Amino acid sequence: MVNVLINGYGSIGKRVADAVSMQDDMKVVGVTKTKPDFEARLAVEKGYKLFVAIPDKERVKLFEDAGIPVEGTILDIIEDVDIVVDGAPKKIGKQNLENIYKPHKVKAILQGGEKAKDVEDNFNALWSYDRCYGKDYVRVVSCNTTGLCRILYAINSVADIKKARVVLVRRAADPNDDKRGPVNAIVPNPVTVPSHHGPDVVSVVPEFEGKIVTSAVIVPTTLMHQHTLMVEVENNVSRDEVLESIEKTPRIITVKYEDGFTSTAQIIEYGRDLGRLRYDINELVVWEESVNVVDNEIFLMQAVHQESIVIPENIDCIRTMLQLEEDKFKSIEKTNKAMGIK
């Protein structure tokens, strides 16, 4: 049983905390917050020990004045943990790495908002579990990159990928984010092509260097991202073979348009009907009817739940960094079973 600290109890952090709590080989010894808000109060009510993310006595007093009990600051717990999962906002994770984790010689997992070059390696359970085994500082790649890594693994299992072209339709903000937009526009993000998503995939799968090109836009929705893939392959492969590989690949599910899955809204409703906590869809979702093969080129459309797809990846990353399990598929199976996902 290893000790895990969640530094940042926000959209990702609270989900990772709950996922860690479901495992039988790791436990949450604390979570941190920068301000005494409702999430901090709920963390305490759920039984998590709460620490202040900023090591400052005045900041501690803010929590005490708000009636939220804290155990101290992050520096009061950092020496007692085996690994930290950093759930801080973009760029703050790098600061935490340099100012806290490295000086205290504690292993740490950063999230996809940080740069690939800031860590020893970049993680996806299917592609780089073995490579990250025993390493100290690793980044779990972003939600979009995670989705692309999963589907490319499925395709690569039945065909040699020659070139992948991907168009990403990105959600504007998470449902609880009232500071971002757009409200009534489609925004190229970035306006240059290729976008950063292709190089991010390469940070996990170096052999895809020069083989993947991505472009992206942001649209006024909060539910999920959507990807359209056009993947050229070297060998002949049938639609049935591609579908079979997709269905066999962990953490991918297929849905049918004819069954009522006519948009991302129905996928989120499906998560609600399943009774998923926060209606999370940790799996990549592929529309079955969209899968097609024409002249050695595979076409498909998929949806990514940006708030939850990376959560099981964080659990497997903990296992490989702490050398709890050598076999990636055994770790994936263990995580999936505990979380109730495919």
Side-chain angles (χ1 to χ4, degrees):
M1 185 72 73
V2 296
N3 295 331
V4 182
L5 174 68
I6 313 298
N7 190 18
Y9 191 77
S11 179
I12 296 297
K14 62 188 176 185
R15 288 173 164 85
V16 174
D18 290 344
V20 169
S21 298
M22 296 173 184
Q23 312 303 313
D24 63 9
D25 55 353
M26 58 188 75
K27 64 179 179 179
V28 178
V29 295
V31 303
T32 77
K33 287 289 291 181
T34 59
K35 56 186 177 181
D37 58 10
F38 74 93
E39 287 179 320
R41 196 177 301 277
L42 282 172
V44 174
E45 291 177 3
K46 292 185 75 167
Y48 295 127
K49 290 183 178 180
L50 181 64
F51 295 82
V52 180
I54 300 173
D56 178 79
K57 290 183 179 179
E58 291 301 316
R59 185 70 61 149
V60 172
K61 191 173 185 301
L62 289 178
F63 283 79
E64 293 172 343
D65 291 345
I68 300 176
V70 294
E71 307 290 327
T73 75
I74 187 171
L75 297 185
D76 295 311
I77 185 67
I78 195 70
E79 300 287 351
D80 299 325
V81 306
D82 297 300
I83 194 166
V84 180
V85 177
D86 189 287
K90 185 177 180 179
K91 297 183 180 180
I92 303 300
K94 170 67 182 310
Q95 295 176 24
N96 290 336
L97 177 64
E98 299 300 331
N99 298 332
I100 300 177
Y101 311 145
K102 286 184 176 180
H104 288 273
K105 295 180 172 58
V106 62
K107 291 176 182 276
I109 297 171
L110 303 188
Q111 303 304 314
E114 308 305 323
K115 301 293 185 183
K117 62 181 176 62
D118 293 337
V119 292
E120 294 175 83
D121 214 328
N122 298 275
F123 184 82
N124 173 266
L126 290 168
W127 286 103
S128 60
Y129 187 97
D130 296 342
R131 216 170 62 220
C132 293
Y133 192 78
K135 290 190 174 177
D136 293 327
Y137 307 112
V138 175
R139 181 182 70 123
V140 170
V141 291
S142 72
C143 49
N144 281 309
T145 304
T146 296
L148 290 174
C149 285
R150 288 184 191 170
I151 195 65
L152 292 174
Y153 184 91
I155 293 172
N156 198 65
S157 297
V158 292
D160 295 324
I161 293 174
K162 179 180 179 181
K163 189 81 172 182
R165 297 174 179 84
V166 186
V167 178
L168 298 91
V169 180
R170 302 177 60 194
R171 62 91 180 95
D174 287 343
N176 68 340
D177 187 348
D178 59 3
K179 297 182 178 65
R180 298 170 65 184
V183 174
N184 187 30
I186 299 173
V187 181
N189 183 258
V191 69
T192 56
V193 178
S195 68
H196 68 274
H197 304 92
D200 208 31
V201 170
V202 172
S203 75
V204 178
V205 195
E207 54 263 43
F208 284 166
E209 179 76 49
K211 292 185 177 182
I212 180 168
V213 178
T214 56
S215 62
V217 296
I218 294 176
V219 298
T221 182
T222 65
L223 298 178
M224 304 182 80
H225 303 298
Q226 187 271 339
H227 303 165
T228 298
L229 284 85
M230 297 146 279
V231 183
E232 292 183 47
V233 295
E234 300 282 2
N235 49 302
N236 291 323
V237 63
S238 69
R239 177 179 185 270
D240 287 343
E241 288 173 320
V242 174
L243 271 173
E244 182 180 6
S245 184
I246 288 171
E247 289 167 355
K248 285 181 177 178
T249 302
R251 297 173 185 163
I252 304 180
I253 59 174
T254 58
V255 296
K256 293 183 178 181
Y257 190 93
E258 67 176 23
D259 286 343
F261 290 99
T262 56
S263 73
T264 54
Q266 283 73 42
I267 296 172
I268 292 299
E269 186 68 9
Y270 179 62
R272 293 191 181 104
D273 289 344
L274 287 175
R276 294 275 185 94
L277 182 62
R278 306 183 185 94
Y279 62 75
D280 284 349
I281 305 290
N282 304 102
E283 301 92 342
L284 177 68
V285 183
V286 176
W287 275 279
E288 185 174 318
E289 292 94 336
S290 75
V291 179
N292 199 8
V293 181
V294 180
D295 296 330
N296 283 26
E297 187 166 11
I298 299 167
F299 300 87
L300 63 87
M301 289 187 282
Q302 62 188 29
V304 173
H305 186 224
Q306 73 280 356
E307 295 175 287
S308 68
I309 193 171
V310 302
I311 305 307
E313 306 292 326
N314 275 267
I315 302 303
D316 294 324
C317 194
I318 292 171
R319 281 209 187 90
T320 196
M321 290 176 68
L322 293 178
Q323 300 174 301
L324 300 178
E325 173 57 64
E326 292 186 11
D327 188 307
K328 67 181 179 184
F329 290 112
K330 287 182 179 179
S331 179
I332 289 170
E333 182 180 12
K334 185 178 181 69
T335 301
N336 290 359
K337 184 177 180 180
M339 293 183 64
I341 62 178
K342 176 187 177 294

